[in-house]
Amino acid sequence: MSNEPLVISSVEGPIAILTLNRPQALNALSPALIDNLIRHLEMYDADDLIRAIIITGAGRAFAAGADIKAMANATPIEMLTSGMIARWARIAAIRKPVIAAVNGYALGGGCELAMMCDIILASETAQFGQPEINIGIIPGAGGTQRLTRALGPYRAMEMVLTGATISAHEAAAHGLVNRVCPPETLLDEARRVAQTIAAKSPLAVQLAKEAVRAAAETTVREGLAIELRNFYLLFASEDQKEGMRAFIEKRAPNFSGR
Ligand code: CAA
């Protein structure tokens, strides 16, 4: 077993970059790798100096799925009690913006991980798919739900039932991906988007993320209530006063995060 960290973490000013690092296994998401990823995400979520997080993969994959070798002999009770897949929900629960920089294969759990992020940028070499059907299972970390919301029921159904992958350009054309970049500029584009978000009020960013997420996860009525509550709440922040004052005084705002 290699001594390399399963997740390489680096901080560039207000941005944390997490690189999934099992390239020899196409970054298959073993329980240890997922635990490591969750630990880093939750640490940066709690760190006031970090305003946006990027997840990418080392080598030719973003992630080729949950680790099939770690699950092959599992019983349903072991899958349930270990929380092996259920704990991925903690990734989707991160409050700060998370950008997926998808550099290669995003298959199965890898595609599901990308869809737990808030913005998906893809390299021209990326491929997306839910190939679980090929190994006698179905997606278990949100694929049937998030892919259907991203692509619509017919395209999602075809992908989930046939296991076929789609290219980065197809994914972008159908709304699964924000945009496609040449491989060599993918991370810089992710940094650029992260920097843009990092310059905003972090309170407004957090409450905006919560409200947009609600559109996919609740009814319109509930989502509208969450949006209005968060809108009102921001009027309690110094950043709202500063942002509006700066606009009126024709200068750049200086957000404090309070
Ligand atoms: N789990 C464990 N190991 C994996 C893996 C995975 N999901 N994907 C790739 N690997 C390993 C391979 O076993 C291989 O290891 P060895 O060198 O020790 O044999 C190594 O990564 C390189 O893979 P390949 O030799 O297969 O590379 P390739 O270029 O020929 O093929 C691929 C690439 C098409 C992505 C192929 O690796 C593949 O089909 N991988 C599995 C994809 C998949 O089925 N993902 C879904 C997993 S289940 C899931 O994710 C459930 C869920 O919803 C949470």
Side-chain angles (χ1 to χ4, degrees):
M1 210 167 141
S2 117
N3 287 328
E4 282 274 302
L6 292 170
V7 173
I8 299 172
S9 138
S10 66
V11 170
E12 299 178 7
I15 302 169
I17 303 180
L18 300 177
T19 305
L20 310 175
N21 188 39
R22 279 186 85 196
Q24 71 290 355
L26 301 182
N27 302 324
L29 300 163
S30 61
L33 194 160
I34 286 291
D35 284 347
N36 221 295
L37 178 63
I38 291 172
R39 192 166 54 73
H40 280 94
L41 285 169
E42 291 182 347
M43 177 178 80
Y44 290 127
D45 209 25
D47 181 342
D48 285 346
L49 298 176
I50 298 300
R51 300 285 178 87
I53 303 166
I54 296 169
I55 302 178
T56 192
R60 62 192 174 100
F62 178 70
D67 190 326
I68 298 168
K69 293 168 190 167
M71 301 185 287
N73 296 316
T75 66
I77 300 302
E78 282 162 356
M79 291 301 288
L80 172 74
T81 54
S82 68
M84 193 192 281
I85 300 297
R87 65 172 166 271
W88 292 34
R90 285 162 62 186
I91 300 170
I94 296 300
R95 292 169 308 165
K96 288 189 180 155
V98 183
I99 299 169
V102 179
N103 51 299
Y105 292 116
L107 301 180
C111 186
E112 291 168 309
L113 172 61
M115 291 190 292
M116 287 178 190
C117 298
D118 303 301
I119 292 173
I120 306 180
L121 304 174
S123 130
E124 283 158 354
T125 56
Q127 282 185 47
F128 295 81
Q130 298 288 164
E132 288 90 344
I133 201 83
N134 296 333
I135 53 169
I137 59 167
I138 68 169
T144 61
Q145 303 304 298
R146 293 196 176 96
L147 193 70
T148 304
R149 280 176 166 77
L151 295 182
Y154 303 105
R155 285 180 205 284
M157 188 68 90
E158 185 176 354
M159 285 177 69
V160 170
L161 296 189
T162 67
T165 60
I166 57 172
S167 70
H169 284 292
E170 284 174 278
H174 302 303
L176 177 61
V177 155
N178 291 65
R179 61 195 156 273
V180 182
C181 314
E184 59 280 8
T185 63
L186 174 69
L187 215 48
D188 279 344
E189 178 60 7
R191 285 187 179 97
R192 192 190 63 74
V193 176
Q195 284 289 359
T196 302
I197 296 169
K200 314 296 181 196
S201 163
L203 284 171
V205 166
Q206 182 186 321
L207 295 186
K209 168 170 172 168
E210 186 193 22
V212 175
R213 279 287 180 91
E217 293 171 1
T218 64
T219 62
V220 173
R221 187 188 294 263
E222 268 181 81
L224 288 171
I226 290 169
E227 180 189 83
L228 201 53
R229 182 200 67 192
N230 289 1
F231 178 78
Y232 291 150
L233 191 55
L234 287 166
F235 281 75
S237 71
E238 289 176 18
D239 282 350
Q240 174 268 329
K241 302 285 175 286
E242 166 62 10
M244 292 196 179
R245 214 166 31 231
F247 174 81
I248 293 163
E249 293 170 4
K250 300 188 187 298
R251 60 174 175 80
N254 183 12
F255 292 125
S256 65
R258 287 190 296 275

